[in-house]
Amino acid sequence: MILCGFALVVGSLTVRRIRSDFNREVAVYAANLAALLRIEVTASDTLRVQPNLEQYAAPEHAVIRILYPAGNVLQATHHAPDFGLANEANIRGYRVHTSVVPLGAPTGGIILVQYGRPLSNVQPTIARLELLLVLGVLAGTGLALLAGAMIARRAMQPIAQLTSSAAEIARTRDAGASLPLPDADDEVAELARTLQGMLRSLDDAHAETEAMLARQRRFVADASHELRTPLTSVLANLELLVESLRGEEAEAARSALRSSRRMRRLVADLLLLARSDVGRSVPRAPVDLAQIVLDAAAELEPIGGEDHELSLDVHPAVIQGDHDELVRVALNLVENAMRHTPAGSSIWVFTGVGGRNAVLVVEDDGPGVPAELEPTLFERFVRGAGDRGGSFGLGLAIVRAVAESHGGSVTLERTRREGVEHGARFVVQLPLAGERTTTDVPQPAGAVGNPAV
């Protein structure tokens, strides 16, 4: 835009100057012609004009008219148009200048001398000027664009490096990484130093938070472990009191025993999760998921006094793991199904081998898991609206922690009956201890057929 404005101003001034010089030149030629003009009366009473008009006009492709003030043409060059009595005007494609020349004796009076030069004589010069200005603007714009792109790329290179480094830090989540500092001491360098300081502060805060969480996890693990011994003693004493007391005292003892058992279970849950958080592992041995499910079924206690139909379809699937933790996984999944399904609902439990994994499937035909609960289903202290068993919201969190500590995973799958989503299906996959592979995982919705337990 600056170049175009400059070209318009320069072009306008230059064209004006060219036209002014052209008009001045026409006036000079007209004045010279008036000074040289001689009109004589011949012996035959005719007027003879000197110099020769055709010769005077030919070099500049001009036209000349000599006329009386009344407008009668005395003499004119070939193809000279009628300019009327105009003076210093552009008429019919010519720049015309009119001079008044007095006639001497014997004729006396005055005559008008019109000298006109074609305006087309100056147009090629103006056209060349305009072309040069257009080419100059285009060339200047191209050079400015090229130079601007090079300068901008060089100026933006530090910012591009900062952006790339920030994206890499976001990908790796490594707040201790260093950002490239530009050589120049400018605003970009100041930004890089500020971002580097922010990363250092975030890294320090993250390290402090991790250290605090590690201390809390160790405390919970140690406290949970230390609580097991006194709780065992309390439970033993309460069980003796229940056997020895009668009436209201016995009922109070039984209530205390139930609360103590719930406390023991909560402590066991916290201990298991704390060990998982701090990375402590218990000794592992080959265990069979089929036997795990049978042991868990033997430990089941009624929940809320509601009856459920539990069906087992267990096949050998040997993994390397901890027996008690895996029993807890199966127990939690079955109790979760009982707790969140109405009385009379069916629950199916399957164990087998799928690919290179041992598979544990617990499925029910209840109302299923609400969609809004799915994102946080395996987090701690999350309880469904229909929880009628007084749980602590740690069951599924323990299932995930145990599965992941054994190198496996747990997922929730939706089941469909007659095209409608129905029930919940939890699938636990754990690495096999051996190399056996098969594909005998059942389809959803009660494909198992063992008698109910």
Side-chain angles (χ1 to χ4, degrees):
M1 292 177 64
I2 293 174
L3 287 175
C4 288
F6 178 77
L8 287 175
V9 172
V10 171
S12 176
L13 293 176
T14 306
V15 168
R16 185 179 302 174
R17 181 60 181 271
I18 292 174
R19 293 188 185 280
S20 176
D21 291 344
F22 177 75
N23 295 340
R24 189 180 305 109
E25 188 176 351
V26 171
V28 169
Y29 270 81
N32 291 339
L33 176 60
L36 295 175
L37 187 64
R38 297 288 184 274
I39 299 178
E40 300 174 354
V41 180
T42 63
S44 58
D45 294 332
T46 60
L47 298 178
R48 183 173 62 186
V49 178
Q50 294 291 338
N52 186 281
L53 299 184
E54 295 289 350
Q55 294 179 357
Y56 189 85
E60 303 297 334
H61 306 286
V63 293
I64 301 173
R65 297 174 75 229
I66 300 176
L67 63 158
Y68 295 106
N72 299 327
V73 177
L74 176 63
Q75 191 171 349
T77 57
H78 188 61
H79 298 306
D82 183 9
F83 300 132
L85 299 178
N87 181 32
E88 296 186 359
N90 296 332
I91 300 177
R92 297 185 179 183
Y94 288 86
R95 176 65 183 181
V96 178
H97 185 87
T98 302
S99 301
V100 178
V101 178
L103 294 176
T107 57
I110 61 171
I111 59 173
L112 302 179
V113 178
Q114 291 183 332
Y115 180 84
R117 184 179 295 180
L119 294 175
S120 58
N121 288 359
V122 77
Q123 287 303 122
T125 303
I126 295 176
R128 286 194 297 271
L129 172 65
E130 292 175 347
L131 177 62
L132 289 176
L133 288 175
V134 170
L135 294 178
V137 169
L138 293 178
T141 302
L143 291 175
L145 179 63
L146 180 61
M150 294 176 61
I151 294 173
R153 180 177 299 178
R154 183 174 181 180
M156 295 298 293
Q157 185 175 2
I159 297 180
Q161 293 175 350
L162 286 177
T163 303
S164 177
S165 300
E168 181 65 17
I169 292 173
R171 185 184 67 83
T172 60
R173 296 188 176 183
D174 181 13
S178 297
L179 293 173
L181 295 176
D183 296 333
D185 188 12
D186 54 8
E187 289 81 0
V188 178
E190 181 65 23
L191 173 63
R193 287 192 292 269
T194 303
L195 291 177
Q196 187 67 61
M198 181 189 69
L199 287 176
R200 290 290 176 263
S201 299
L202 290 176
D203 190 31
D204 294 341
H206 182 265
E208 293 176 2
T209 303
E210 286 296 322
M212 180 184 66
L213 291 176
R215 290 194 297 270
Q216 291 179 350
R217 295 188 188 106
R218 285 195 298 270
F219 170 77
V220 173
D222 295 339
S224 301
H225 181 75
E226 294 298 328
L227 284 173
R228 297 179 69 181
T229 300
L231 276 175
T232 302
S233 177
V234 170
L235 286 170
N237 291 329
L238 288 174
E239 289 172 355
L240 289 175
L241 286 175
V242 168
E243 294 295 332
S244 61
L245 297 177
R246 295 292 181 271
E248 294 182 357
E249 294 178 347
E251 183 61 30
R254 279 192 290 271
S255 177
L257 180 60
R258 286 192 297 270
S259 298
S260 299
R261 285 174 175 169
R262 292 185 69 242
M263 184 180 295
R264 179 182 63 179
R265 184 164 182 177
L266 174 60
V267 170
D269 291 346
L270 292 175
L271 179 60
L272 192 153
L273 291 174
R275 282 203 303 262
S276 174
D277 288 339
V278 299
R280 297 180 184 176
S281 60
V282 296
R284 306 286 174 84
V287 292
D288 187 358
L289 277 186
Q291 187 60 45
I292 292 292
V293 171
L294 294 176
D295 293 344
E299 293 185 17
L300 284 173
E301 296 178 355
I303 299 177
E306 297 172 347
D307 297 328
H308 291 74
E309 182 182 354
L310 177 63
S311 299
L312 304 181
D313 182 13
V314 293
H315 303 273
V318 180
I319 66 172
Q320 197 78 12
D322 178 74
H323 177 274
D324 293 339
E325 291 186 355
L326 293 173
V327 168
R328 196 55 172 280
V329 168
L331 196 63
N332 285 0
L333 289 175
V334 175
E335 287 185 346
N336 182 75
M338 290 183 175
R339 186 177 295 114
H340 295 91
T341 55
S345 300
S346 298
I347 301 173
W348 297 274
V349 181
F350 165 84
T351 63
V353 177
R356 296 184 178 275
N357 293 323
V359 180
L360 166 63
V361 180
V362 177
E363 181 184 348
D364 62 68
D365 62 353
V369 178
E372 64 273 9
L373 195 62
E374 287 189 21
T376 59
L377 187 62
F378 293 99
E379 295 182 3
R380 301 174 188 184
F381 303 106
V382 174
R383 302 174 61 184
D387 192 344
R388 303 177 304 279
S391 70
F392 302 106
L394 297 175
L396 293 180
I398 289 175
V399 171
R400 182 174 67 174
V402 173
E404 291 179 351
S405 67
H406 284 73
S409 63
V410 57
T411 55
L412 169 66
E413 298 178 358
R414 290 188 174 272
T415 58
R416 302 178 69 88
R417 291 180 178 86
E418 299 179 357
V420 179
E421 292 186 357
H422 191 72
R425 173 183 168 93
F426 290 89
V427 180
V428 179
Q429 299 192 57
L430 302 170
L432 285 169
E435 295 296 329
R436 176 187 172 194
T437 61
T438 184
T439 55
D440 54 354
V441 179
Q443 297 300 317
V448 295
N450 281 18
V453 176

